[in-house]
Amino acid sequence: MQIRFHCPTDGCVAIIEYQPLEQCAGAITCPRCKQTHRMTVTPKMHDADSVDECAVCRGTELFVRKDFPQRVGLFVVLLFGGASLYYFRSNAVLAWLILAAAVVVDFLIYLVIGKMTTCYGCRAEYRKCKLNPAHEAFDLATSEKY
């Protein structure tokens, strides 16, 4: 299991990644501010390779989402959008076909990409683990609590 989270220390903007979480010694040191943060690895996380509560903030409200890399999505939009804008002056049909191709490429990436579990409270991301069936998709009402 891999965890990725923002350092909870005020003023620190570091992103901490740790793998494998199951072998965590109960604490992780931030590489930027050198603060040590407690990590709570539950027996279910250790034995069943599934997240039941957040190891960072101990929150129990988590959701499942696609692990879609935002940079790839931005690259697809910029590349196909730029090409489409270029061709709109000379051939509108080709420009619309380019935009349709962007939708197809985006959908194919969506089908291939796996899922991850995310904590509502601290936004810690858990990858390379089994999905807990108790966790559902993102819920805006739950997110507004945090």
Side-chain angles (χ1 to χ4, degrees):
M1 181 181 309
Q2 176 189 37
I3 184 171
R4 182 176 191 228
F5 63 98
H6 291 275
C7 179
T9 305
D10 289 335
C12 184
V13 294
I15 296 175
I16 302 170
E17 292 188 28
Y18 189 81
Q19 180 182 350
L21 184 62
E22 298 86 351
Q23 295 177 6
C24 176
I28 292 179
T29 302
C30 175
R32 184 162 190 246
C33 68
K34 306 300 183 210
Q35 286 285 97
T36 302
H37 304 288
R38 292 184 49 87
M39 301 296 289
T40 307
V41 179
T42 65
K44 186 171 184 176
M45 292 170 83
H46 188 271
D47 299 334
D49 195 32
S50 179
V51 182
D52 57 341
E53 80 176 29
C54 182
V56 179
C57 70
R58 305 214 46 186
T60 57
E61 293 186 301
L62 300 119
F63 64 95
V64 176
R65 69 178 180 98
K66 283 288 200 173
D67 192 9
F68 193 91
Q70 293 177 347
R71 289 183 180 162
V72 172
L74 181 63
F75 176 75
V76 168
V77 167
L78 291 177
L79 179 70
F80 285 88
S84 176
L85 284 174
Y86 176 78
Y87 284 106
F88 257 119
R89 288 183 276 139
S90 60
N91 189 345
V93 174
L94 180 60
W96 284 110
L97 287 175
I98 291 171
L99 289 177
V103 170
V104 170
V105 168
D106 192 50
F107 181 70
L108 291 174
I109 293 171
Y110 180 81
L111 289 177
V112 173
I113 297 297
K115 293 182 178 183
M116 70 175 173
T117 301
T118 305
C119 175
Y120 279 108
C122 66
R123 296 294 191 223
E125 301 170 344
Y126 298 87
R127 294 177 172 87
K128 300 179 183 177
C129 61
K130 297 175 187 168
L131 297 177
N132 189 334
H135 302 147
E136 297 177 353
F138 179 80
D139 180 46
L140 185 58
T142 305
S143 179
E144 286 180 353
K145 289 193 282 187
Y146 296 94

